[in-house]
Amino acid sequence: MKKILTIAICIVIFISCDEKQGEYVCTPCDLPCDTLSFKKAGICPDCTMNLIRKSDLNNEADLVLNDVQIKTGSGVFLIEGSEGKKEKTIKVYYHKPKNFTIDSKVLMVIPGAGRNGDSYRDAWKEESEKYNVLILSPIYEEEQYPFEEYHLCGLIKDSNLIESVEFMKGTNQALLNEEIFTFETNSNQNDWLFYDFDRIFDLVVESTNSSQTQYDIFGHSAGGQILHRLALLTSEMKVNHIISSNSGFYTLPDFENKMPFGIQGLYSHDEELIQSFNNKLILLIGELDNENEKGGTLLRSKTADKQGTNRLERAKYFYEYSKVKANDLNADFKWKIEIVPNVGHNHELMGNAAGKLLYE
């Protein structure tokens, strides 16, 4: 009986693996799932690690820290973290189009909460070849860069965020208890995530002999959160167009409230904010990323819900609030908002829309 049961289990495993045969594999974790393959990118159902392309796995086996070599086609390189975080690493997936020249434009693509730079890079391959654009998509592993350092860009520190958030069963919503949430505002700009992007760009320019002095940047969901904060809190980076797509919630240009909902303690005077309104920010929002959207995780709290109770409402609130603030400061307001028809919380479709905005 035991022998029959063992054979049956083996058959089930074999069938399961056969059904999942494909070009994606689990990030190596020394567990049995390392031997499985999958048809689509995503999360390994056994160990919850990100799935990566087999070809990238082969490339990653030969990665040398800070050895940035950009070859035609898709690949990956590994660099150390920023000053003060050199013990951490950033993995950057890229696609270099076959007709690349030193004059080709450069686009950085910032992933959502899944930190799946490989599949975000893959989603832009068609646009890369069509528009002759070099695609760069960095991965900040969650084990090294928690929510405070990724979604919130290192703008806070010493928080009890994990203890303050409860995931609402059966929904895509997470409830933040602001009554018990504690943290320190981090005004040290050297710790902010944004400045990694210029550093990655400079390394790639050197590797490819590119003539470009600026790059465009697109981020979706958590990546969109990062980019609207980049537009709000920086003014001297090498970024050209900033496309922030389908953010879950926003940091307002509000001096009266602290992070994550305001900028108290991050800016010292109005002039810095006036310069930020000159950034070429486009809020790109899916029309269907509304109260019916179940994808992604949506933060709920007393303050977050003042912006609205879904991503579409919150984007409109952030834009209008910022427009009024810019008017109060007599600032030149260059931010825009674009609603993409018939699209919800889908990074591929939002990326298609972003590609048309940027390069057509």
Side-chain angles (χ1 to χ4, degrees):
M1 181 66 180
K2 185 180 293 185
K3 184 176 181 180
I4 294 173
L5 181 60
T6 301
I7 293 173
I9 292 173
C10 289
I11 290 172
V12 169
I13 292 174
F14 175 79
I15 292 173
S16 175
C17 293
D18 185 62
E19 287 177 346
K20 294 180 179 178
Q21 284 298 314
E23 58 179 325
Y24 290 90
V25 293
C26 177
T27 301
C29 59
D30 296 324
L31 293 173
C33 50
D34 282 350
T35 63
L36 302 179
S37 63
F38 303 82
K39 293 180 179 178
K40 296 181 179 180
I43 302 297
C44 176
D46 295 326
C47 71
T48 72
M49 296 284 280
N50 285 327
L51 300 180
I52 60 177
R53 284 188 178 275
K54 289 180 181 178
S55 56
D56 287 328
L57 179 62
N58 295 332
N59 289 335
E60 290 182 27
D62 300 322
L63 287 181
V64 177
L65 187 65
N66 297 327
D67 181 22
V68 181
Q69 297 188 33
I70 311 293
K71 302 176 182 178
T72 300
S74 294
V76 59
F77 60 86
L78 185 71
I79 64 171
E80 65 188 2
S82 60
E83 195 69 35
K85 299 180 183 179
K86 292 188 179 294
E87 77 285 357
K88 300 183 179 184
T89 58
I90 305 167
K91 197 178 295 181
V92 183
Y93 289 88
Y94 69 82
H95 186 79
K96 180 182 179 183
K98 60 180 180 292
N99 294 322
F100 177 86
T101 71
I102 62 172
D103 297 321
S104 296
K105 292 186 177 182
V106 178
L107 173 70
M108 205 165 297
V109 178
I110 310 303
R115 321 290 181 101
N116 47 327
D118 52 345
S119 53
Y120 270 74
R121 181 268 322 266
D122 291 348
W124 278 86
K125 279 185 180 181
E126 183 178 344
E127 285 83 3
S128 174
E129 297 292 345
K130 180 179 180 181
Y131 304 119
N132 198 27
V133 178
L134 175 61
I135 305 297
L136 306 169
S137 189
I139 281 186
Y140 289 81
E141 299 287 357
E142 193 166 5
E143 294 78 10
Q144 299 185 59
Y145 297 89
F147 188 97
E148 297 93 323
E149 292 190 36
Y150 191 63
H151 296 62
L152 299 183
C153 316
L155 297 166
I156 71 170
K157 59 183 180 179
D158 301 327
S159 83
N160 66 341
L161 183 66
I162 294 177
E163 294 83 2
S164 304
V165 172
E166 178 185 359
F167 288 90
M168 301 169 70
K169 189 174 181 181
T171 75
N172 67 334
Q173 301 181 9
L175 181 63
L176 172 67
N177 185 341
E178 295 184 49
E179 299 298 322
I180 65 171
F181 180 40
T182 61
F183 63 91
E184 293 292 329
T185 301
N186 185 8
S187 59
N188 182 1
Q189 296 189 17
N190 292 328
D191 292 339
W192 295 359
L193 187 79
F194 316 126
Y195 299 105
D196 284 336
F197 305 152
D198 274 7
R199 185 163 60 93
I200 292 170
F201 173 70
D202 288 341
L203 289 169
V204 169
V205 165
E206 181 180 4
S207 174
T208 60
N209 295 314
S210 173
S211 65
Q212 294 297 313
T213 57
Q214 289 186 306
Y215 58 97
D216 299 314
I217 192 164
F218 165 84
H220 175 262
S221 197
Q225 289 196 42
I226 292 167
L227 295 195
H228 89 265
R229 294 184 178 109
L230 179 152
L232 180 64
L233 293 166
T234 70
S235 58
E236 297 181 354
M237 290 183 62
K238 298 179 182 180
V239 179
N240 188 16
H241 298 97
I242 305 166
I243 298 190
S244 169
S245 167
N246 291 6
S247 297
F249 70 97
Y250 292 82
T251 298
L252 301 174
D254 174 12
F255 290 107
E256 301 302 317
N257 285 296
K258 293 182 178 181
M259 278 289 294
F261 304 113
I263 58 173
Q264 185 185 105
L266 296 173
Y267 269 166
S268 56
H269 50 78
D270 290 345
E271 185 58 36
E272 293 171 306
L273 188 55
I274 290 173
Q275 292 176 11
S276 296
F277 288 136
N278 268 297
N279 285 324
K280 298 175 185 176
L281 171 66
I282 300 176
L283 299 167
L284 192 66
I285 313 302
E287 177 188 35
L288 302 182
D289 207 350
N290 53 28
E291 67 276 7
N292 298 316
E293 176 60 76
K294 304 302 180 185
T297 301
L298 185 69
L299 185 76
R300 301 292 302 274
S301 78
K302 180 180 179 180
T303 306
D305 286 357
K306 290 180 181 178
Q307 302 175 8
T309 56
N310 61 72
R311 298 183 191 92
L312 180 61
E313 288 181 353
R314 290 178 178 182
K316 291 178 177 179
Y317 182 92
F318 172 74
Y319 177 77
E320 292 299 332
Y321 185 101
S322 300
K323 188 176 180 179
V324 169
K325 186 68 174 181
N327 184 64
D328 290 344
L329 297 175
N330 294 315
D332 184 11
F333 186 63
K334 293 183 178 178
W335 296 4
K336 299 178 181 179
I337 186 168
E338 298 277 352
I339 308 300
V340 182
N342 303 315
V343 177
H345 200 68
N346 183 304
H347 79 85
E348 292 189 34
L349 296 179
M350 295 303 294
N352 293 343
K356 291 178 181 178
L357 273 176
L358 287 170
Y359 304 120
E360 285 192 358

